[in-house]
Amino acid sequence: MAEAGKLRVATTSLAGCFGCHMSLLDIDERLFALLEKVEFDRTPLTDIKHCGPCDIGIIEGGVCNAENVEVLREFRKNCKILIAMGACAVTGGLPAQRNHLDLGACLQEVYLTEPGLVNGQIPNDPELPLPLDQVHPLHEVVKVDYFIPGCPPSADAIWKFLTDLIAGRTPRLGHGLIEYD
Amino acid sequence: MNMDVRPSFLLDGEEIPFEPGQTVIQAALTAGHYIPHLCYHPEFVPHGSCKLCTVKANGRPAAACTLPAQAGLEVESETEELNDLRRTLVQMLFAEGNHFCPACEKSGNCVLQALGYDLGVMTAGFRHFFLDRPVDASHPDILLDFNRCVLCKLCVRASEEVDGKGVFSLAGRGISRRLIVSAESGRLADTDIAVTDKAVEVCPVGVIIRKHIGFQTPIGRRRYDVRPISAQALEDAPRKPEARHG
Ligand code: SF4
Ligand code: SF4
Ligand code: FES
């Protein structure tokens, strides 16, 4: 249950590099102001493993394997508002740069034929989630309510976006805050 | 006393004077009014292919870069409807190339990207094609990355009309339209292109890239980082009816 008056927020990283989370932390002392308005559910910061009912879900990274799909669906089921944060969540980003390659050929090259490998083998532990043949942006798997582009979006962009949203305004990123790089 | 006896048309309700022979976009830019555009370049004869500059003239859609200015014309440009269409066009251009901005040396100086920023394009909109298009790094001073071509034909026009060389052309139709290099081998190294050519300077996106400069101007201090393209385009616009090539 959310503390009275506070919005409950969950975040996670799927096929991302945690750069967007680093950028979120880059809001620095503004985190204190944020924490007056929100409390965190599942996020890498709290280490809660499953997402409960939330007001806002923020997802970094696209969808590259079966586990990503599951986690994304869990977020969509529990979060009233779902935000795709960063280039990978919005378009697939860097991991999607493998999309024009055959997945089998990719695994072969990385684990078997790459020069310098000795006794390579393609990982097949049943605990490992199976990769998808292509990397997808979030909105190709579930409905996404908002998008924040950027690799990563700047702390100022994330701050502006969240403060607009929390104040009940339509989030607007103007010049210098919408960035694709 | 108003000495301006030039004819004029209305753009979003404001009077825009023009010289006979000017197009709507030329007159608008000269008068300090921005209309989004991508394949139009003030120094070249308009090509009219990207449709980013689409306006409504007396209620009918038209490309502002090819539409001759006419006295009394009523032109709409800054409307939600037209900007929505422009956002869709930008998303389609992103979808049909491979635009990975974080790794692109043109980032921050790129017209396509700057249009996305200025129009507020926040999401992909379409499934990206993820084509496999090898780059041509054969030339010692110039890199050609075919993944980012928006088919504006500016390099073709510049190479022919200014450089007098004809290094580039566009081949194929529809979705298979693509940039090609006019050499038997198809390689840029086998042409007479020089790094000082207008064709190199004019590419609005990250296809024709000058080597050895990379990120000398860091991200964050580049052309469209400093000011949005809607302001920069006015800065660049000729203050007088244009002198143009060709
Ligand atoms: S050409 Fe422009 S839009 Fe394409 S990747 Fe480079 S900076 Fe981004
Ligand atoms: S290479 Fe550049 S200038 Fe030439 S057609 Fe493509 S986008 Fe236009
Ligand atoms: S700028 Fe007019 S059609 Fe491209």
Side-chain angles (χ1 to χ4, degrees):
Chain A
M1 266 308 286
E3 220 177 285
K6 285 198 178 180
L7 295 170
R8 202 162 167 87
V9 178
T11 79
T12 193
S13 176
L14 304 179
C17 69
F18 279 94
C20 294
H21 274 83
M22 294 308 291
S23 215
L24 170 62
L25 292 180
D26 258 351
I27 66 175
D28 295 333
E29 71 278 4
R30 287 172 287 184
L31 268 170
F32 294 114
L34 185 64
L35 284 171
E36 280 169 20
K37 307 267 186 201
V38 311
E39 61 180 18
F40 285 109
D41 192 89
R42 171 180 175 158
T43 129
L45 316 174
T46 59
D47 218 23
I48 297 172
K49 300 295 181 204
H50 285 280
C51 173
C54 283
D55 298 291
I56 301 173
I58 304 175
I59 301 192
E60 156 193 329
V63 178
C64 80
N65 65 33
E67 191 210 9
N68 292 160
V69 177
E70 229 171 85
V71 175
L72 178 57
R73 289 196 173 135
E74 177 181 300
F75 267 70
R76 180 67 279 183
K77 220 175 96 206
N78 284 292
C79 301
K80 289 185 204 148
I81 293 173
L82 199 63
I83 303 172
M85 170 170 68
C88 301
V90 174
T91 69
L94 177 70
Q97 300 307 299
R98 74 158 159 91
N99 280 1
H100 69 277
L101 302 169
D102 173 73
L103 177 61
C106 247
L107 290 170
Q108 289 256 336
E109 174 149 356
V110 171
Y111 292 106
L112 299 176
T113 59
E114 174 93 346
L117 278 182
V118 186
N119 295 332
Q121 60 164 351
I122 294 178
N124 62 357
D125 191 300
E127 291 247 328
L128 291 174
L130 286 173
L132 306 180
D133 67 335
Q134 288 205 329
V135 180
H136 298 270
L138 304 184
H139 68 270
E140 288 183 7
V141 181
V142 299
K143 180 182 185 300
V144 173
D145 302 297
Y146 292 104
F147 301 83
I148 314 178
C151 186
S154 66
D156 287 342
I158 296 174
W159 173 252
K160 172 76 164 65
F161 197 94
L162 290 180
T163 46
D164 277 356
L165 191 65
I166 291 168
R169 295 185 292 266
T170 302
R172 290 225 190 283
L173 301 183
H175 175 69
L177 295 180
I178 302 184
E179 306 256 292
Y180 303 157
D181 58 13
Chain B
M1 200 168 79
N2 184 6
M3 298 296 290
D4 200 346
V5 290
R6 288 181 296 169
S8 67
F9 62 88
L10 283 182
L11 174 61
D12 293 325
E14 289 203 43
E15 212 154 303
I16 310 289
F18 65 92
E19 307 283 334
Q22 275 192 314
T23 58
V24 165
I25 207 170
Q26 286 170 335
L29 290 172
T30 306
H33 291 261
Y34 174 68
I35 296 174
H37 54 275
L38 173 59
C39 70
Y40 168 72
H41 186 294
E43 291 170 39
F44 292 91
V45 178
H47 183 231
S49 61
C50 76
K51 305 302 176 199
L52 254 305
C53 68
T54 300
V55 292
K56 279 198 180 170
N58 290 347
R60 297 171 56 161
C65 69
T66 53
L67 182 68
Q70 290 162 49
L73 205 61
E74 281 185 34
V75 181
E76 272 174 57
S77 175
E78 266 308 302
T79 65
E80 224 16 54
E81 182 198 3
L82 287 168
N83 280 335
D84 258 342
L85 289 169
R86 291 171 181 141
R87 279 187 277 272
T88 304
L89 286 173
V90 168
Q91 288 175 325
M92 288 163 77
L93 287 167
F94 268 91
E96 68 177 43
N98 284 316
H99 295 274
F100 184 53
C101 298
C104 180
E105 286 184 19
K106 191 78 174 186
S107 197
N109 292 326
C110 170
V111 173
L112 177 63
Q113 186 191 61
L115 280 164
Y117 293 173
D118 209 32
L119 290 164
V121 177
M122 302 294 278
T123 180
F126 298 93
R127 177 122 185 76
H128 285 193
F129 289 5
F130 297 110
L131 304 163
D132 185 11
R133 291 192 192 144
V135 303
D136 176 350
S138 63
H139 196 282
D141 301 317
I142 303 159
L143 173 74
L144 257 195
D145 189 332
F146 296 98
N147 291 288
R148 305 165 183 154
C149 183
V150 293
L151 306 171
C152 68
K153 222 177 168 185
L154 278 169
C155 60
V156 179
R157 292 181 270 168
S159 188
E160 268 164 23
E161 295 165 18
V162 184
D163 308 328
K165 292 184 182 174
V167 170
F168 299 105
S169 36
L170 296 184
R173 299 205 161 270
I175 199 63
S176 51
R177 193 146 174 91
R178 65 196 186 283
L179 178 74
I180 56 167
V181 170
S182 315
E184 213 165 314
S185 65
R187 285 164 20 114
L188 196 62
D190 299 326
T191 69
D192 55 353
I193 194 168
V195 73
T196 47
D197 282 2
K198 188 76 180 172
V200 177
E201 175 206 310
V202 84
C203 179
V205 293
V207 181
I208 308 173
I209 296 264
R210 273 184 64 187
K211 289 185 179 177
H212 319 299
I213 52 168
F215 294 91
Q216 259 172 26
T217 307
I219 299 282
R221 279 199 242 142
R222 296 177 166 211
R223 196 173 161 80
Y224 302 115
D225 297 328
V226 178
R227 54 167 79 80
I229 193 167
S230 47
Q232 184 63 50
L234 294 179
E235 196 97 335
D236 299 343
R239 285 282 153 255
K240 299 222 170 329
E242 357 234 295
R244 53 161 123 117
H245 301 288

